[in-house]
Amino acid sequence: MSGDEGEPLGGAAAVPGPQPNSLAQKLKWLMAGRKDARGRAYVSRTLSQAVDELPDPPTSTSFALIAKLANGQQDNPTIKTVLALCRALGDVPPAYLLPHAGYDDLEALEAFEDPLARRVLALLRDLPESEVRDVVAYVEGRREDLGLPSVADGPGVEKPTKARRRRTGTEAAQYAADALEGL
């Protein structure tokens, strides 16, 4: 990720680097986008200092460990380390650092921290899709009426797609034969 949600950080490397949606990519993106006490983007040393300055820090996190996490050289931090990094970076929801596409929408995870938002989600859970879309349209209209900025669709929001044409039996057989020849 980079300054824009969803874009990969950095350029192509000669050796395999962190995968998209990895802890390393997300940590780098957070460090670049959040500001330290001097108003600058975090680097591993300033993030380590921010963890140490937390009231009742859950753990001490060395700048070397943070650098390894951000570079993908280590990808299995302790829960205490994740919690400390998230607190130091401005109370980021810890789920955001999970290396899974389901947890890539930071804005949604931050909204989920609100108990009322969780209540709304629970109420929407078993409604038919058409009803949920009506509720979304209503809330978007209310936000506009109140002069609030619109909320972009997150990575998990699927746009309606056209139905795919099914292959004929002959086409399917040819596709399977072509695939087997490629082995």
Side-chain angles (χ1 to χ4, degrees), residues 128-138 157-160:
E129 184 179 339
S130 62
E131 293 290 328
V132 174
R133 289 190 186 282
D134 289 345
V135 171
V136 169
Y138 172 78
V157 176
E158 295 178 17
K159 304 277 189 225

Side-chain angles (χ1 to χ4, degrees), residues 107-168:
E107 190 172 349
L109 289 170
E110 288 174 332
F112 188 73
E113 299 270 314
D114 181 350
L116 282 174
R118 288 194 303 272
R119 173 85 175 126
V120 169
L121 287 174
L123 291 169
L124 292 172
R125 182 172 182 173
D126 294 324
L127 290 177
E129 184 179 339
S130 62
E131 293 290 328
V132 174
R133 289 190 186 282
D134 289 345
V135 171
V136 169
Y138 172 78
V139 173
E140 286 173 339
R142 286 297 300 146
R143 288 185 65 85
E144 187 176 316
D145 292 345
L146 295 171
L148 297 171
S150 63
V151 176
D153 288 341
V157 176
E158 295 178 17
K159 304 277 189 225
T161 59
K162 293 171 91 178
R164 288 181 34 187
R165 182 181 71 83
R166 293 183 59 120
R167 293 185 176 102
T168 65

Side-chain angles (χ1 to χ4, degrees), residues 13 21 37 43 47 52-53 105 110 130 137 156-157 164 170 181 183:
N21 307 323
V43 294
L47 183 52
D52 290 341
E53 293 170 1
D105 191 344
E110 288 174 332
S130 62
V157 176
R164 288 181 34 187
T170 305
E181 286 177 8
L183 294 177

